[in-house]
């Protein structure tokens, strides 16, 4: 049975601050109970609460405390920075409940910032190409998406945008469409006030954000359902 989300513990961010300072396995093991009670377990409650509420409104996003949360441990095998622990904890709710799908809600609770994002992040070559083609050939639909997001107080994040137009789209000249086609991701973000993570109202805030971002989910899903195979864009 799902435990209703009641907020992260008051020591959630102080724990991350202390972990950032210590960065030793011995310290983490000694304080694991604090990590679980203040941060990990409430995050699991949040994911499962959101999953239930998304099912009611038909958002097509779900998750659970076992599959959705990312590990606090860093993968340092190929990193110059060998610190073993992240300064944040994060989770994904997706169409199938795994971390492998596109069109997701990503929630990040970190030492520097807390935020949520609805994202088509690093879509595969065929899907990215199809999205770019949809922008170029059906600009009215894309502009309707941008208008809907703007009405919902959201806009696409330009992070990771290419500096030049990918091959095959040189014929597109409208400035707004060129900028969109250069995107490697299609993402809208919502900043979370760190002071608000301790309240059950955070779940309401994230449901509201995801509902406002639904036009982006719908746009991407309509394209994803017709993705051609064996096509790779210039990334």
């Amino acid at each position: 049975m799902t435990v209703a989300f009641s907020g992260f513990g008051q020591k959630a961010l102080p724990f991350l601050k202390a972990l950032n300072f210590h960065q030793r396995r011995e310290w983490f093991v000694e304080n694991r109970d604090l990590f679980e009670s203040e941060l990990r377990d409430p995050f699991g409650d949040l994911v499962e609460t959101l999953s239930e509420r998304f099912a009611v409104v038909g958002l097509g996003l779900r998750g659970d405390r076992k599959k959705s949360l990312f590990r606090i441990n860093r993968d340092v095998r190929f990193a110059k920075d060998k610190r073993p622990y992240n300064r944040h904890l994060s989770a994904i709710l997706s169409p199938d409940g795994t971390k492998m799908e596109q069109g997701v809600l990503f929630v990040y609770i970190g030492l520097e910032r807390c935020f949520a994002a609805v994202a088509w992040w690093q879509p595969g070559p065929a899907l990215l190409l199809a999205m770019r083609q949809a922008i170029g050939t059906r600009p009215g639909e894309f502009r309707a998406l941008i208008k809907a997001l703007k009405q919902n107080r959201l806009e696409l994040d330009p992070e990771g945008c290419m500096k030049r137009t990918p091959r095959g789209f040189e014929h597109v000249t409208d400035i707004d469409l060129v900028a969109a086609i250069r995107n490697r991701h299609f993402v809208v973000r919502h900043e979370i006030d760190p002071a608000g993570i301790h309240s059950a109202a955070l779940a309401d805030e994230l449901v509201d954000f995801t509902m406002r971002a639904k036009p982006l989910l719908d746009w991407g899903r309509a394209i994803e359902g017709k993705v051609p195979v064996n096509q790779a864009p210039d990334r």
Side-chain angles (χ1 to χ4, degrees):
M1 181 176 179
T2 299
V3 178
F5 176 70
S6 60
F8 288 93
Q10 293 294 328
K11 296 180 180 178
L13 295 181
F15 171 84
L16 290 175
K17 184 175 182 180
L19 178 62
N20 182 57
F21 175 78
H22 291 285
Q23 285 290 328
R24 291 184 294 105
R25 183 179 182 279
E26 294 78 12
W27 185 91
F28 182 82
V29 170
E30 184 178 337
N31 292 275
R32 182 184 294 275
D33 289 347
L34 186 64
F35 165 67
E36 293 177 351
S37 64
E38 299 289 292
L39 196 58
R40 192 189 68 180
D41 290 348
F43 216 149
D45 295 341
L46 176 62
V47 166
E48 294 182 350
T49 296
L50 290 175
S51 188
E52 287 190 351
R53 294 187 59 178
F54 289 163
V56 172
V57 296
L59 271 172
L61 296 172
R62 60 189 175 93
D64 62 57
R65 65 183 63 246
K66 292 183 178 181
K67 296 180 182 178
S68 299
L69 272 65
F70 288 91
R71 300 179 64 200
I72 192 75
N73 305 77
R74 296 180 64 244
D75 184 352
V76 300
R77 290 174 298 174
F78 307 106
K80 292 182 180 179
D81 182 353
K82 297 299 183 182
R83 288 178 296 181
Y85 299 104
N86 286 311
R87 300 151 58 94
H88 66 270
L89 195 63
S90 57
I92 278 182
L93 288 90
S94 70
D96 69 352
T98 73
K99 302 185 183 78
M100 305 303 294
E101 287 285 296
Q102 285 289 336
V104 303
L105 172 66
F106 177 72
V107 184
Y108 180 105
I109 303 298
L111 194 54
E112 287 83 13
R113 65 187 295 211
C114 301
F115 72 92
V118 166
W120 299 86
W121 186 261
Q122 294 182 341
L127 177 55
L128 181 58
L129 176 60
M131 288 177 157
R132 288 170 170 168
Q133 289 174 333
I135 294 168
T137 60
R138 302 192 297 279
E141 292 180 9
F142 178 74
R143 285 172 173 147
L145 162 65
I146 297 303
K147 182 179 180 180
L149 291 175
K150 185 175 181 179
Q151 290 174 339
N152 292 344
R153 308 184 307 281
L154 297 170
E155 61 182 13
L156 290 180
D157 190 327
E159 179 183 344
C161 185
M162 297 175 66
K163 293 183 178 180
R164 64 180 180 84
T165 304
R167 288 192 299 270
F169 293 93
E170 295 83 0
H171 63 285
V172 179
T173 57
D174 290 3
I175 294 175
D176 61 329
L177 301 181
V178 170
I181 285 171
R182 290 180 179 180
N183 280 330
R184 290 189 174 94
H185 325 287
F186 295 90
V187 183
V188 290
R189 298 181 190 268
H190 169 74
E191 294 295 327
I192 299 170
D193 182 351
I197 69 171
H198 310 294
S199 168
L202 177 60
D204 298 327
E205 181 179 336
L206 294 176
V207 171
D208 173 74
F209 162 63
T210 311
M211 289 297 296
R212 289 187 289 116
K214 186 175 182 293
L216 178 60
L217 290 173
D218 292 343
W219 177 78
R221 287 170 179 169
I223 297 168
E224 187 179 38
K226 301 177 182 179
V227 173
V229 297
N230 300 322
Q231 295 190 47
D234 175 13
R235 302 184 67 168

